[in-house]
Amino acid sequence: MTFSPSHPTTMSIPGLRAALNGQVIAPGDAAYDQARTVFFGGIDRRPAVIVRVADASAVAQVVSLARETGLELAIRGGGHSPAGHSVTDGGIVLDLSQLRALHLDPGRHVAWAQTGLTAGEYTTAAGAHGLATGFGDTGSVGIGGITLAGGIGYLVRKHGLTIDDLLAAEVVTADGRLLRADAQTHPDLFWAIRGGGGNFGVATRFQFRLHQVDTIVGGVLMLPATADVIASFVAEAEAAPEELSTIANIMPAPPLPFVPAEQHGRPVVMATLVYAGDPDAGLRAVAPFRALATPIADLLRPMRYPEIYPPEPADDHPTAVGRTMFVDAVDRHVAEAIVDHLRASSAPMRVAQLRVLGGAMARVPGDATAFAHRGRRIMVNLTAVYQRPDQAAVQQAWVTGFAAALRQGDGGAYVGFLGDDGQGRIREAYPGPTWDRLVAIKGRYDPTNLFRLNHNIPPMVQGSTR
Ligand SMILES: Cc1cc2nc3c(=O)[nH]c(=O)nc-3n(C[C@H](O)[C@H](O)[C@H](O)COP(=O)(O)OP(=O)(O)OC[C@H]3O[C@@H](n4cnc5c(N)ncnc54)[C@H](O)[C@@H]3O)c2cc1C
């Protein structure tokens, strides 16, 4: 099958199979239903074809096919998009999950990674050398999606965002070219992909900086979720050395093996702490958190960094609504609002997640990359998980009301956690000059908005946006 821009192509599945290096999965194939399933439940879309590409030239072929057929193109890495952007109804899914090559250079502390790898796979391989690049809190998230969003995780205060360790990328742009983007080559594209998501092309490889992160002090600490404990936890996290990053989930205690049965369903702070530095100093740094209340569970210990990603259930597809925002303080008053809203929810599982930021992330200038929230002190993610579709509206209303109660000034949004929340929320992810610069760069690299199934940045073409 040939792709000629002058002759509109109708898609032929046998033609694709013959022309492409990769697996072509169509409706009716045994693998189809599994291949169109994404992480979140409640998303049931039927693509015309799913192409699991084997190399970068197959990526370019699929991009050209989408351009020539006009079919909607979904890019799939790890499949964790909260908005369901990695699967399309009637269009083409470009599935990158077989792009799995990883070349580590421990001597130079750099790695080239293909974008079908997950955060957990990369971390395990790098961890064998006592090295790491920071990703998020979940091993099954794809390095493609998290890196292009920014990447906020357990090393954020010590080493910054994932994009702060991105040295270069290879990107297939809308015209089918494979470009290298770094600080010297296509620097505008390099700026835009560090936070601008999948708007500018398909990233096939990333070059990352690696840090020495060997034995850490980390794990789960579960405390009772009183307003005092929550506010004090945040105060300790802000005062802690930068080696320590925390992610605190305030939620009903889940029925996990390490949680005593009488605590199940009670409000708890289920926090994961990571101290990336000397283990003795780490034990001293976590002591104030342990002293906030008698822990319900205390799994903090020296461990190899990759152990921070526990095994995940293979077939967990939660249906959820969520809201991501930033706040500047969580004092006792805010903590009380959190406890009250969680108590008032009817959702089988509801979570207010608090991530204290700062440190290395905040030292990078706000206009150095397309991630514009460097100065924000705390990220808040609110989630309600529900079971029946008829519960969606009530859970959405709860999340909206909760977010309004917590809002402090300009809420902002982290694009990695944005759902299908509308254009206004995308603008909150990319405020002011960041947005203006992104639409101009989009106009240069994707003037027809081929890459539009994402938190879309419409291209600026000859002075107006499409
Ligand atoms: C359970 C869970 C935990 C999370 N934890 C964190 C966290 O701790 N920190 C954090 O920062 N984020 C976190 N996220 C958000 C996550 O980083 C984003 O949702 C990310 O987009 C998921 O990437 P993916 O490759 O798994 O998803 P996909 O659904 O495959 O991709 C999402 C979108 O990203 C774009 N994309 C992905 N790969 C490429 C590529 N190679 N080239 C071009 N575009 C691409 C596409 O637009 C695609 O639709 C979490 C999400 C979930 C569901």
Side-chain angles (χ1 to χ4, degrees):
M1 177 171 201
T2 54
F3 305 118
S4 154
S6 51
H7 297 96
T9 308
T10 48
M11 197 170 59
S12 132
I13 300 293
L16 265 182
R17 288 199 168 114
L20 270 164
N21 189 8
Q23 187 187 2
V24 175
I25 304 167
D29 290 353
Y32 180 73
D33 281 332
Q34 187 273 331
R36 69 187 179 90
T37 302
V38 291
F39 174 77
F40 281 105
I43 298 168
D44 181 20
R45 299 190 193 135
R46 303 186 66 83
V49 68
I50 300 161
V51 187
R52 272 197 191 133
V53 290
D55 56 28
S57 50
V59 171
Q61 282 175 283
V62 175
V63 167
S64 297
L65 180 70
R67 194 179 59 240
E68 291 163 18
T69 57
L71 289 171
E72 185 174 67
L73 179 64
I75 315 297
R76 179 182 178 134
H80 280 60
S81 161
H85 284 152
S86 33
V87 64
T88 154
D89 245 335
I92 303 169
V93 174
L94 172 52
D95 181 334
L96 303 168
S97 62
Q98 295 310 305
L99 297 185
R100 312 173 54 75
L102 175 61
H103 178 73
L104 294 159
D105 186 342
R108 291 177 53 234
H109 281 204
V110 292
W112 270 108
Q114 282 192 318
T115 51
L117 290 163
T118 66
E121 290 164 347
Y122 179 105
T123 302
T124 300
H129 302 271
L131 300 171
T133 303
F135 296 103
D137 66 359
T138 301
S140 57
V141 165
I143 66 166
I146 192 169
T147 303
L148 298 171
I152 306 175
Y154 294 127
L155 303 179
V156 64
R157 284 160 51 85
K158 172 71 176 163
H159 294 304
L161 302 173
T162 305
I163 50 173
D164 299 334
D165 286 326
L166 186 67
L167 302 173
E170 290 174 355
V171 183
V172 174
T173 46
D175 55 10
R177 284 186 301 159
L178 179 66
L179 301 182
R180 179 186 165 107
D182 60 28
Q184 281 78 41
T185 319
H186 300 293
D188 52 351
L189 180 62
F190 189 53
W191 179 88
I193 61 168
R194 286 177 292 162
N199 272 284
F200 302 92
V202 184
T204 56
R205 285 212 303 169
F206 292 134
Q207 187 185 37
F208 290 115
R209 183 186 296 115
L210 290 157
H211 300 277
Q212 197 82 46
V213 182
D214 202 345
T215 301
I216 59 155
V217 172
V220 170
L221 179 68
M222 186 180 282
L223 301 167
T226 64
D228 275 338
V229 167
I230 295 167
S232 303
F233 187 100
V234 171
E236 291 294 350
E238 291 198 292
E242 287 179 8
E243 282 76 9
L244 189 75
S245 295
T246 59
I247 298 181
N249 291 304
I250 305 153
M251 62 197 289
L256 294 170
F258 59 83
V259 182
E262 69 274 14
Q263 296 289 344
H264 294 177
R266 293 209 184 146
V268 294
V269 179
M270 185 159 116
T272 303
L273 285 68
V274 167
Y275 183 94
D278 170 64
D280 289 335
L283 289 170
R284 285 195 296 279
V286 300
F289 295 87
R290 288 174 149 156
L292 290 174
T294 304
I296 297 164
D298 182 348
L299 279 62
L300 292 169
R301 62 183 170 86
M303 61 170 74
R304 303 296 302 276
Y305 179 61
E307 290 181 64
I308 207 67
Y309 292 131
E312 293 171 44
D315 216 17
D316 184 24
H317 299 290
T319 304
V321 287
R323 183 84 172 195
T324 179
M325 61 198 287
F326 297 94
V327 299
D328 298 317
V330 174
D331 57 13
R332 201 175 183 292
H333 176 71
V334 175
E336 271 168 11
I338 292 173
V339 172
D340 290 348
H341 277 81
L342 289 170
R343 192 184 295 127
S345 164
S346 61
M349 184 49 73
R350 60 272 188 189
V351 183
Q353 182 183 79
L354 306 178
R355 301 186 183 210
V356 169
L357 305 172
M361 163 189 155
R363 280 194 291 277
V364 175
D367 61 358
T369 66
F371 179 93
H373 310 284
R374 302 277 182 175
R376 301 310 295 260
R377 288 173 61 187
I378 303 165
M379 180 163 72
V380 180
N381 299 310
L382 308 175
T383 306
V385 178
Y386 60 95
Q387 272 140 2
R388 297 195 326 262
D390 65 348
Q391 296 173 326
V394 69
Q395 299 310 338
Q396 183 63 63
W398 175 80
V399 162
T400 305
F402 196 173
L406 298 188
R407 190 177 173 102
Q408 296 170 6
D410 168 19
Y414 171 48
V415 76
F417 285 122
L418 260 191
D420 204 356
D421 294 2
Q423 193 67 15
R425 294 285 291 149
I426 300 173
R427 293 299 299 269
E428 285 195 73
Y430 302 118
T434 301
W435 178 260
D436 297 341
R437 204 165 158 185
L438 283 168
V439 294
I441 297 170
K442 176 83 171 176
R444 290 202 280 282
Y445 288 94
D446 185 15
T448 65
N449 208 3
L450 179 72
F451 301 109
R452 59 185 175 277
L453 187 57
N454 46 37
H455 296 298
N456 195 233
I457 297 160
M460 171 82 77
V461 181
Q462 292 174 343
S464 65
T465 51
R466 285 186 180 234

